[in-house]
Amino acid sequence: MPYIIYDLEFTVSRNARYSSEIIDIGAVKVTEGPDGLYVSDTFHTYVRPSNKSVLSTDTIQFTGITQKDIDAAPLFPEALQKFIAWMGSEVYYMCSWGPDDRSKLISHCRTHQLDVAWITNHNDLQQQWSRTVRKEGKFRQLGLAQALELCGIEFDGTQHRALDDAINTAKVFMHQFDRFSLETNCAADDEGVASKVVYSSSTEDDVKDSPFGNLAHLFKTNE
């Protein structure tokens, strides 16, 4: 079962009329092999915003993404279709650093009237890792750079670029793999439905009752 470690970058919006939009999707596919976990593939695409296609100065300065990058990029539905096709139909876990990426994916899918059932087995690595290393009962969210430092790993690439952040998140994930407990869930389900832990360092994977399977038919487009 592959682990999809992904990251999104958004526009910086100071105008209440416009919510931030996804402009960058980066992901790595982590696979288990005979010698342990390894990165088997990567994915990247820029995304052209639907509401405000001209990037603000704040967005360019924060992300380093240029207007030229965006002008040549697909809109969200096409970019998402490429992302889903890259993830494949095999049951997978999706992992991000923090809760914002999942929320933004769901909101974008709803805006574009796209299915969210492909957002499955989603886990917030930041929350889990922050709770693992908390001191004296105090909980504090750790940034990715802090997590890498605690693991003795140097940040590789440029911060706030989706693929670079995904690669570095994957490094933390692989380094601390036995300390994460991954849950099954599906964004299409009611929020009140409890998730079931199917991986932890003390139990074996059990996906016999996984509600997932071939996801290729789940992506819907508007004609």
Side-chain angles (χ1 to χ4, degrees), residues 167-181:
I167 289 172
N168 285 283
T169 301
K171 290 180 180 180
V172 174
F173 176 75
M174 291 187 291
H175 189 274
Q176 299 293 332
F177 180 68
D178 289 339
R179 301 180 72 176
F180 288 113
S181 295

Side-chain angles (χ1 to χ4, degrees), residues 99-119:
D100 294 342
D101 300 281
R102 179 180 183 273
S103 297
K104 190 62 71 174
L105 280 177
I106 292 174
S107 68
H108 271 46
C109 285
R110 289 174 176 168
T111 296
H112 293 275
Q113 298 183 328
L114 302 174
D115 203 335
V116 298
W118 62 275
I119 305 175

Side-chain angles (χ1 to χ4, degrees), residues 46-59:
Y46 293 117
V47 183
R48 181 156 42 98
S50 300
N51 294 329
K52 196 172 182 181
S53 59
V54 178
L55 298 184
S56 67
T57 300
D58 289 337
T59 298

Side-chain angles (χ1 to χ4, degrees), residues 141-197:
Q141 294 280 25
L142 293 176
L144 179 57
Q146 293 173 300
L148 288 164
E149 184 178 355
L150 287 172
C151 294
I153 302 171
E154 292 187 5
F155 190 98
D156 184 20
T158 304
Q159 291 184 344
H160 308 304
R161 299 302 287 267
L163 182 55
D164 288 347
D165 282 351
I167 289 172
N168 285 283
T169 301
K171 290 180 180 180
V172 174
F173 176 75
M174 291 187 291
H175 189 274
Q176 299 293 332
F177 180 68
D178 289 339
R179 301 180 72 176
F180 288 113
S181 295
L182 302 183
E183 299 178 343
T184 63
N185 48 64
C186 181
D189 294 338
D190 184 88
E191 291 294 328
V193 176
S195 299
K196 175 187 175 184
V197 177

Side-chain angles (χ1 to χ4, degrees), residues 27-123:
V28 300
K29 187 175 294 183
V30 175
T31 305
E32 291 187 73
D35 298 323
L37 297 174
Y38 68 98
V39 174
S40 58
D41 201 4
T42 63
F43 174 88
H44 176 258
T45 183
Y46 293 117
V47 183
R48 181 156 42 98
S50 300
N51 294 329
K52 196 172 182 181
S53 59
V54 178
L55 298 184
S56 67
T57 300
D58 289 337
T59 298
I60 294 173
Q61 291 178 344
F62 183 73
T63 65
I65 297 171
T66 68
Q67 188 64 46
K68 184 178 179 181
D69 294 327
I70 293 304
D71 289 341
L75 292 170
F76 178 74
E78 182 183 349
L80 182 62
Q81 189 171 23
K82 292 179 179 179
F83 184 37
I84 292 175
W86 173 80
M87 287 193 293
S89 59
E90 183 180 359
V91 177
Y92 50 75
Y93 288 103
M94 295 181 69
C95 300
S96 65
W97 194 263
D100 294 342
D101 300 281
R102 179 180 183 273
S103 297
K104 190 62 71 174
L105 280 177
I106 292 174
S107 68
H108 271 46
C109 285
R110 289 174 176 168
T111 296
H112 293 275
Q113 298 183 328
L114 302 174
D115 203 335
V116 298
W118 62 275
I119 305 175
T120 60
N121 300 341
H122 200 290
N123 287 264

